Structures are given as C-alpha cells and as structure tokens.
Amino acid sequence: MLSICLFISICSTATAQNSFKIKGSVLDANTLKPIEGANITGNNLFAVSSSTGEFIINNNKKQTSSITISHVGYASETVSINLKNNANKHIKVLLKESSTVLNEVAVTGKTKRRKAKESPIVTHTVSKEFLDKNRENSLMQTLSKIPGVSTINIGSGQSKPVIRGLGFNRVAVVQNGIKHEAQQWGNDHGLEIDQQGIENIQIIKGPASLLFGSDAIAGVVNIQPNKIPLQNSFNGELNILGESNNDLLGVSVGLTSRKEKWFYRTRLTYRDYGDYKVPTSKINYENYIFELHNSNLRNTAGREANASVSIGYVADNIKTETLFSNVNAKNGFFANAHGLEVRTSKIDYDTSNRDIDLPYHKVNHFRVSNNTTVNTGEHILHFDLGFQNNKREEHSEPIPHGYMPKPPNTKERVFTKNTYTLNARDAFNIHNKHHMVMGVNMELQNNTIDGWGFLIPEYNRFTVGAFGYDQFKINSNLHLLAGARYDYGIIDTKAYYDWFPSTVKNNDGSTSQEYLQRSKNKSLNFNNLSASVGLSYINNNTTYKINLGKSFRMPLANELASDGVNYHMYRFEKGNLDLKPEVAYQLDLDINHTKKQFSLGISPFINLFDNYIYLNPTSNYFETLQIYEYTQSKVFRFGGEFNASTTVIKNVTLSASAEYVYSRQTSGLKKDFTLPFSPPLSGLFSASYQFKDFSFFKRPLISADYIITAAQEEIVPPEQTTDGYNVLHMSFTSKMNIFKNSAPVDLRLKLNNVFNTKYYNHTSFYRLIDVPEAGRNISVSLTIPFK
C-alpha cells in the first residue's frame, strides 16, 4: 500500500483549564485541493472535514490524544498529539491516493474511481451520501433520481427497478454477490430489501449477462458489501423517520464493531405507515366511480420489520463474512386493485387509515450468505455461497368466480421459493498487462404453491454458467476488455389440476364435470453463448467508452406455464411452452468530462432483441376476463442519458439530467407498437445552496429538484396514454453538533410534490387503475451516530 505523505504542524488551542481544541485541515497530496468528508477519529473524539478540508474538535480533556485521519481512496494514519506543549499550531495532513486494500491484503491497485474509468462497462456508483440525502420509501424510489433508472411503484412502500425502460426479471438485483431471488416476475411484487445501512451501490446500465448470467439482460443493481470497519472500533447509528402523507413512523438501529481480526455488524429496522394520500377525491376504474375518504388511497397501509447480523474475519490473506437477514412485511393493496369486487364488499375500508384489510399480502424473505476472499499472492479467489427462502402469501376476499365455488379461506395464492447459490471466480494478472478473471455461477431453485387461486405452477430450476474475461492494458490510459460466457439451464414445471370441477362440452354435444388441468409435468432446457468487447480511453479529464455485447435471458415459469386469473391485473394469463430464450445485442457509448467546477456526461445506446417476450392481449375471453398470452417478437430500441453539473458561484451547484428511450416491435402481433411500461422523455433540474454554519447547524444545504416529464402517447393497447407533468421537490440537510465530543447528528427535511400536483407515472402499477402518484409529503429524518 502506498504510504501517506503526512506533513504535520501539530495544533491545539487551550479553550479552558484542562480543555483543548484540535484544529487542522486535510489536503490531497497530489493536487493540494481540500478533501471533504475525511473522518478524524479518536477516543471519544470525532470530526469530519468540511468542503475546505478543515476540521475542529472542541473540548478535548486529554493533554495527549491520538487521532486517525481516513478517507475512502486514501491511506489512513494514526497520529499522537501532545496538546499542552504544542498550543496554537495546526495539523496539515497531505493524503496520497492509496492502493486498493483488498480484504486487508496490500496489493498494487487503483482507487475505485480510477477502476471505473478504465472499465468499458457503463456504470454509475451510488454513495452512502447520495442514499442518505435522497432516501425515499423504498430502495428503488431512492435510486430513481439517477438518469436511466426508474421504478414500477406499488403503493407508497414498494417498488421494483426499471433500467432504460426494461424491468421485472430483466434487471438483476445483486446483494453482496448473491442475486436477490423472490417473485419479481409479478407486477405487484416489490423488492424485499432493507435499504437502511447500505453504503455503496453500483448501477450497471445495459447487458451484464457476462458477469451475472440470465436476468441481467437490461442491467444490474449491485448492492456491494460495506467497507470493513477499522481495528478496535465500535460504531453505531440510530435512524428516525417520520412522514406526513401516510403517517409513517420508522426507526432503524445499526451497530458495527471490530477487534483485531473479528468484526460484526447488526441492524434492526421497523416501519409502520397508514394509507397514503393522493391529490384527488375519486378514482374512475372501469367506468365505476370510487369515492376516496379524505383523499386516502384506502387499504395501502403496511408494516415492515427487518433484522440482519453478520460476522466476519480478516487476516493477512483472507477475508470472510457471513450474513443472516430477514425481511418481513405486510402490505395492503388498494381495494380496487383486485377488480370491481369492492362494490359488494362488506369491509369498511375507511374505519382507520392504518387498517390492513383484504386484499393484502405478507412476505418474508430469509437469507444466509457468505462471501470469502483468499489472496494467494498471484491469485485472488472469491467465493459466494447463499441460501434464500422467500414466502409470499396473497390474501383476498373469498368470492366465487365462474365454476369456482366460494373458497374456504382468504389465502388466494402462496409462493414458497428456496434458492441455493454458488459463485466462484479467480482473478490474476499476466505480465502486468492482462487482468484475467475466470468464474462459474450456479443456482438451484425450488418454488412451491398453495392457495385456492392458480396462476403459475410449481417448478424446479437449475442454471450454471462459466465465464472469463481479460482487461488488457494497452497503455496507462487505454484499456480493452473482452470476455465470453456459456450458460445452461433446466426448468421442470409440475402438473396442476383445479380443486373444483368445471362444466365441459363433449364432442357429442353433452356436458360433463372435469377437474381442469392447468399445467403439466414438463422439462425444458436452454443454453446460450454470450460475449462482450469494449474499449476505454482516458484523455486527461475526459473518459471515452464503447462496449458491444450479446446477452440473454431464460424464460420464466409464468411465461412458459401460467394458466389462470391474475386478479390484480384483472385478466387471464396464459403461458407458452414454445418460448425461446431472449437474446439481445447492445452497443453502449459513454463520454464523461469532469473538472473541479464542471462535469458533463452522455450515454447513448442501441439495443436489438431477437425474441423479446411479452404478454399480448387477445380477442378471447375466459369467464368475462380477457385472455393475455405470452408471445415473442423482434424489438429495436435506442436512447440514452445526459447529465451536467456546475458550480456557478461559491456554494451554489446546478445540475441537469435527461433520459429517453425509444422502443419499437419490428415483428409479431404488435408490430410497430412500443413495449409496455415504456418510460417517457424526462428531465431533472436541481439546484443547491450551501449556507455558512450558524448556531448548531453545520454545513446546512438547501436543494430543489424540478422534474419535467413529457406525455407518453407511445403505448401498447389496452395500455392507456399518460399526460406530461412537472413536479417540484425540496429538501434541507444539515449536520448538528448537539452532543459534545461526539459525531454530529444528520438532519434531513424533505418536501415532496410541493404543489400537491396530480400526475400519473407511466411506470406505476396503480396507474393502470387510474390512481395518481402520492400527494404532498413532508418527511423528517434524523441519523444519530454513536461510539
């Protein structure tokens, strides 16, 4: 590891008898520019360097103190200071960029920022600061401010990712190296991930099948492991959140500790919220008017309780961490989301805005994972092992439909999914020019069903893939990355018969009672060879990237073998056993220019699907419900993102971003139409002002985000068009030095939808039933760190 160049003028100023003040500044050794956000820690001492690199620690009682200065991407150093003998002096720390400390093994490397520049893959790194500043009710709503990333919102507390207009199982969500496996195929199924405590996320835009296999054909949300805590440290934080729109109350406590080699982390989170408010008094669904009491979207309340604990070990050549986590949620669905049955329901949905009545779902996601890295000197071996159990229960009023009699209970559908994962890879260098990575991914799934409603069958699924790539250093600023991957998968669906008889016409004109078969025992296998090649060129402050890739996605059980009523979508869905794997080709470009006062980036792409899978409405009906069938077509897509930011004057930052996606089916039954849930052209304009410190407010910042979204008239019938809209959000953040000799408290005030604008998000689940987005919301959050 590169050493810190530490130029020290030790400073302490006596503030009272036996009380001292430590002052100093932190600078980059190469550029002599101030380093903001450096941590200065000691025994009951804490400070964070400001935008000018300066820091102050007040009321230190000891004459001799030891402090550690650290920052991501730089090496840290512990310094002992004799305060009494060195009064009125100043610490001036010059930090050099460190080599990457991989699991506490010193290896020749680069900062994460430099590595990202050298990789041709188009990525976006999301920091803890971004997550804390922009935190919304769900992880994907928090990330939706990133150009090219949007969400399918399901009420106020759930959402799922959309990258460049593609979502569901086309976007892989990876947490600590393990793909999150739940029932993500469903429109109304959100992510079971606690966003509290996450420090770093990598967004990959475009195909990532080379590294992650099937389900990464559109991109990846890669939730990366948190950094290893410092030796002999103990840290914790308490997060408190309150919101006005849905009367949300939330609390989260996280603890991290490490001795010399052993460390642990733990977190508990609880959230309770009521029905959220929308800026309308009535909903028009299927030409039936539903009045809303106090503008509450009835039965959208929910409760969430999450817990996690991990135990890790760090030595000279090994690092391992085992995580246990459980996410549990009970959420109501808007009463009309289950069709028109609410007209005859005897449930009083307006009794309380915190009731969770029918229909609702209960989800529990249990996870055990282990990440182990071994450094042998010439090779770095990495292993991921994981087990996930996802149980989802969907409850609704037991009402007879067609030939189905009144069900015996409210348990409409139950999915229980067990997933076992093994990833292994080996990274090594050849002649200091070639960085090679070779690996294998294996995943085994077992999904069982229960309940009186049938949509998808039970199934087993096994996938295995082997990959390898080489990042060739042509020179220090020019890098070529090329790789290939082979995947093989098997899916076995199980037979299912209705639990009730239906009347069937026989060939002779008579009728009989039969238990209809909805699915059958069927074994299908798929294989694919994918590859990518890319080039990255760094020219001073500008980075150029180009990447061409082929990726794929295996069909899912619902696409192959569904045969039932999806009451949340009010339609009959029918699978197709003849579906082929999706194959896509994509060309990505990325140009990014960054200077101290200005940055500019543009990321266009072109995308071709050979056989895109989608649900197509037909002219046939089943018991008054329209039948939708899965089919395939060729699809052409292009679009991209643009972003720019500048510091016009001191303390004022302006930024702008835009995203656009064009999609067109070039074959099949919906030729010349776009794709469902295609996001419209949208832009985001942001402005922030950094105030001077006043009273106990430190680094106060006020921000405004103005979203402009065009109308979406490119639809796939029976999808409806949506009008354009403008929405303003505002926020205030500040650190507060409330407690002496302790880390400052983070305060965040947010005012979303300032003018209570009524608008429809085209990628929202509830938009399909005429539900606008949430109205004005005031949120207050506090993060209280402690040691």
Side-chain angles (χ1 to χ4, degrees), residues 457 493-496 517-522 561 577:
T493 60
K494 307 302 180 182
Y496 179 88
Q517 184 175 6
R518 298 296 184 185
S519 67
K520 55 186 177 180
N521 293 317
K522 185 71 174 180
L577 290 171

Side-chain angles (χ1 to χ4, degrees), residues 139 158-159 173 175 180-184 188-195 304 306 325-329 331 361-367 388-392:
L139 175 62
Q158 304 175 74
S159 61
V173 179
Q175 188 172 23
H180 180 75
E181 289 291 349
Q183 305 293 336
Q184 58 263 43
D188 52 328
H189 304 168
L191 293 177
E192 299 87 6
I193 293 177
D194 183 4
Q195 65 172 324
E304 300 173 18
N306 312 319
S325 70
N326 196 79
V327 174
N328 183 277
N331 308 91
H361 71 185
K362 296 194 297 185
V363 182
N364 192 87
H365 192 92
F366 175 73
R367 172 191 179 101
Q388 299 172 76
N389 172 265
N390 183 275
K391 185 172 183 178
R392 178 183 183 86

Side-chain angles (χ1 to χ4, degrees), residues 174-179 212 222-225 367 371 382 384 421 423:
V174 179
Q175 188 172 23
N176 294 355
I178 304 292
K179 274 200 297 185
F212 299 96
N222 187 11
I223 304 170
Q224 299 180 329
R367 172 191 179 101
N371 309 109
H382 188 84
D384 300 315
T421 304
N423 301 325

Side-chain angles (χ1 to χ4, degrees), residues 1-4 71-76 95-101 107 109-112:
M1 182 177 68
L2 294 175
S3 62
I4 291 181
H71 191 279
V72 176
Y74 296 88
S76 59
L95 298 185
K96 281 188 175 181
E97 288 188 352
S98 72
S99 58
T100 301
V101 182
V107 295
K110 306 177 180 70
T111 63
K112 289 184 178 180

Side-chain angles (χ1 to χ4, degrees), residues 6-24:
L6 193 62
F7 169 61
I8 303 177
S9 298
I10 299 177
C11 142
S12 65
T13 302
T15 58
Q17 186 175 4
N18 298 324
S19 180
F20 300 92
K21 177 185 291 185
I22 304 174
K23 298 177 66 177

Side-chain angles (χ1 to χ4, degrees), residues 297-591:
L297 197 65
R298 56 174 66 99
N299 203 44
T300 55
R303 294 189 296 270
E304 300 173 18
N306 312 319
S308 67
V309 60
S310 68
I311 301 173
Y313 176 82
V314 178
D316 290 341
N317 59 353
I318 187 172
K319 174 245 170 178
T320 183
E321 184 172 9
T322 301
L323 169 69
F324 301 85
S325 70
N326 196 79
V327 174
N328 183 277
K330 181 179 180 180
N331 308 91
F333 284 114
F334 173 45
N336 306 92
H338 211 266
L340 299 175
E341 295 167 357
V342 70
R343 295 179 300 175
T344 59
S345 174
K346 296 181 180 180
I347 298 174
D348 185 356
Y349 289 102
D350 299 323
T351 300
S352 169
N353 74 326
R354 304 195 86 86
D355 285 349
I356 304 177
D357 295 310
L358 296 168
Y360 67 84
H361 71 185
K362 296 194 297 185
V363 182
N364 192 87
H365 192 92
F366 175 73
R367 172 191 179 101
V368 182
S369 63
N370 173 267
N371 309 109
T372 299
T373 302
V374 179
N375 190 321
T376 66
E378 295 182 353
H379 293 261
I380 297 177
L381 306 175
H382 188 84
F383 305 93
D384 300 315
L385 289 169
F387 167 74
Q388 299 172 76
N389 172 265
N390 183 275
K391 185 172 183 178
R392 178 183 183 86
E393 295 184 6
E394 299 181 1
H395 293 254
S396 63
E397 287 189 80
I399 297 175
H401 290 278
Y403 294 110
M404 181 183 72
K406 183 177 179 179
N409 53 47
T410 66
K411 194 179 293 184
E412 179 186 351
R413 296 188 301 205
V414 179
F415 306 101
T416 304
K417 183 178 183 179
N418 293 315
T419 304
Y420 305 85
T421 304
L422 169 63
N423 301 325
R425 65 179 183 268
D426 177 18
F428 55 95
N429 294 326
I430 300 178
H431 306 307
N432 295 322
K433 288 284 188 178
H434 297 269
H435 178 68
M436 304 286 297
V437 177
M438 303 182 70
V440 61
N441 311 115
M442 289 190 290
E443 190 175 83
L444 176 64
Q445 295 179 9
N446 169 255
N447 200 9
T448 61
I449 63 173
D450 196 2
W452 48 261
F454 175 80
L455 184 57
I456 67 171
E458 295 185 349
Y459 68 88
N460 296 322
R461 180 185 179 189
F462 173 74
T463 59
V464 59
F467 67 91
Y469 68 85
D470 175 20
Q471 184 162 333
F472 174 47
K473 178 182 176 181
I474 301 173
N475 59 49
S476 60
N477 293 321
L478 185 61
H479 293 78
L480 173 71
L481 188 148
R485 179 187 181 97
Y486 178 77
D487 283 272
Y488 178 78
I490 302 174
I491 185 167
D492 293 319
T493 60
K494 307 302 180 182
Y496 179 88
Y497 291 84
D498 281 344
W499 57 276
F500 57 88
S502 296
T503 301
V504 177
K505 288 186 178 181
N506 301 320
N507 293 332
D508 59 3
S510 63
T511 61
S512 60
Q513 300 291 306
E514 295 184 12
Y515 292 89
L516 297 181
Q517 184 175 6
R518 298 296 184 185
S519 67
K520 55 186 177 180
N521 293 317
K522 185 71 174 180
S523 180
L524 299 170
N525 61 78
F526 306 93
N527 62 85
N528 183 80
L529 180 65
S530 53
S532 70
V533 59
L535 196 66
S536 171
Y537 175 61
I538 305 171
N539 181 18
N540 297 322
N541 296 313
T542 307
T543 302
Y544 303 89
K545 297 183 179 183
I546 182 171
N547 192 72
L548 177 65
K550 175 195 174 187
S551 55
F552 89 109
R553 183 182 71 87
M554 283 179 54
L556 305 175
N558 63 304
E559 296 166 332
L560 293 166
S562 60
D563 190 19
V565 178
N566 186 345
Y567 288 106
H568 290 300
M569 303 302 295
Y570 213 58
R571 66 193 182 198
F572 190 97
E573 298 180 3
K574 194 170 183 61
N576 183 354
L577 290 171
D578 295 326
L579 294 177
K580 305 299 181 184
E582 286 183 344
V583 176
Y585 303 87
Q586 182 154 322
L587 175 66
D588 283 286
L589 300 174
D590 184 74
I591 302 174

Side-chain angles (χ1 to χ4, degrees), residues 234-238 253-255 743 784-787:
F234 174 83
N235 298 285
E237 68 174 23
L238 171 65
V253 181
L255 300 175
I784 307 171
F786 53 87
K787 290 179 175 292

